[in-house]
Amino acid sequence: MSIAIPPAVGEAPHPRQILRQKAEELESAFLSEMLGHTGLGALSASFGGGCGEEQFGSFLRREQATAMVRAGGIGLAEHFYRSLTRGMDDAL
């Protein structure tokens, strides 16, 4: 996984940097949804915080998924990035 280098002040980010970021965001969203289906953050039987607990559980899942992607993820971001950039050099 690459680490994004921020552009200089006043300089627009390179299109490939934007595509890499979007690919990582997509993998993170996918992982967050999959974590939700595993029951991570589900309400416990003895203590229930209601709808507020459900909302905070989704925040926790999103952050855990983002951390997973930063640590290398499951390879979806790289696959998405390659698909998005395929033929990009030919178009320029």
Side-chain angles (χ1 to χ4, degrees):
M1 169 167 265
S2 67
I3 298 175
I5 299 171
V9 176
E11 181 181 330
H14 191 275
R16 287 185 182 271
Q17 289 176 324
I18 295 169
L19 290 175
R20 169 74 64 186
Q21 179 184 359
K22 296 302 176 186
E24 290 173 0
E25 288 173 11
L26 184 57
E27 181 178 4
S28 180
F30 173 79
L31 289 174
S32 177
E33 194 64 29
M34 292 301 103
L35 290 172
H37 286 288
T38 64
L40 183 69
L43 299 175
S44 61
S46 58
F47 295 102
C51 64
E53 186 173 351
E54 290 177 30
Q55 288 297 321
F56 285 109
S58 69
F59 293 147
L60 175 63
R61 284 191 303 274
R62 185 180 329 143
E63 288 304 313
Q64 287 174 327
T66 300
M68 290 170 68
V69 171
R70 284 188 193 128
I74 59 174
L76 283 177
E78 184 62 30
H79 181 72
F80 294 146
Y81 176 75
R82 287 181 184 173
S83 294
L84 289 169
T85 58
R86 188 177 302 135
M88 192 174 189
D89 292 329
D90 297 336
L92 296 176

